[in-house]
Amino acid sequence: MRRKRLRAFTLIEVIAAFGVIILLTLALVLTIQGQMKRVESQNLKATVATVNSQIEMAYNEPDADKKSLKTIPDLVREGVITDAQAKDLEKGKATMSGDNPPKFKVP
């Protein structure tokens, strides 16, 4: 009786397949990291635009104490911006100008 020889993958073929899978996974991870950085940058730009509008509105109020709105903690204490906005500005390293009214800029 003759035995049929079963055809199987060689070790080289299996290693090559794993290599391709690893390369595709690395490409996916790098793409996701790039997208996350872009999203964080866009989020910071949106936060800066919103905060600048809120500061301008606070400065335009007739009874506004404009001297007390010079730092991020001052803006939070006076209710011009929220704690979450302050954390986003600090985390994103947005810079505050000394203009009147002050404005934030994205680095």
Side-chain angles (χ1 to χ4, degrees), residues 16-36:
F18 279 132
V20 169
I21 291 170
I22 289 170
L23 285 175
L24 291 173
T25 303
L26 286 174
L28 179 64
V29 167
L30 292 175
T31 301
I32 290 172
Q33 284 179 344
Q35 292 291 333
M36 292 298 292

Side-chain angles (χ1 to χ4, degrees), residues 67-77 81 96 102 104:
K67 292 180 182 176
S68 69
L69 301 176
K70 296 294 182 189
T71 64
I72 292 176
D74 294 338
L75 293 168
V76 173
R77 187 185 66 245
I81 65 174
M96 187 176 192
F104 284 92

Side-chain angles (χ1 to χ4, degrees), residues 2 5 8 28 36 48 55 94 101:
R2 280 187 153 183
R5 185 168 184 216
L28 179 64
M36 292 298 292
V48 165
I55 292 171

Side-chain angles (χ1 to χ4, degrees), residues 10 13 19 27 39 74 80 96:
T10 64
E13 291 171 332
V39 165
D74 294 338
V80 177
M96 187 176 192

Side-chain angles (χ1 to χ4, degrees), residues 8-107:
F9 291 109
T10 64
L11 182 61
I12 300 289
E13 291 171 332
V14 171
I15 290 173
F18 279 132
V20 169
I21 291 170
I22 289 170
L23 285 175
L24 291 173
T25 303
L26 286 174
L28 179 64
V29 167
L30 292 175
T31 301
I32 290 172
Q33 284 179 344
Q35 292 291 333
M36 292 298 292
K37 285 181 182 178
R38 197 176 99 231
V39 165
E40 288 173 4
S41 174
Q42 289 176 343
N43 185 33
L44 179 61
K45 287 177 184 177
T47 300
V48 165
T50 302
V51 166
N52 285 339
S53 296
Q54 289 171 300
I55 292 171
E56 192 170 324
M57 286 175 24
Y59 261 70
N60 289 334
E61 290 180 5
D63 59 342
D65 183 14
K66 296 172 182 156
K67 292 180 182 176
S68 69
L69 301 176
K70 296 294 182 189
T71 64
I72 292 176
D74 294 338
L75 293 168
V76 173
R77 187 185 66 245
E78 294 295 325
V80 177
I81 65 174
T82 65
D83 286 329
Q85 288 171 325
K87 288 177 185 173
D88 286 345
L89 293 171
E90 291 169 351
K91 182 177 78 173
K93 296 184 173 98
T95 56
M96 187 176 192
S97 69
D99 300 339
N100 198 6
K103 292 196 180 277
F104 284 92
K105 295 179 186 170
V106 178

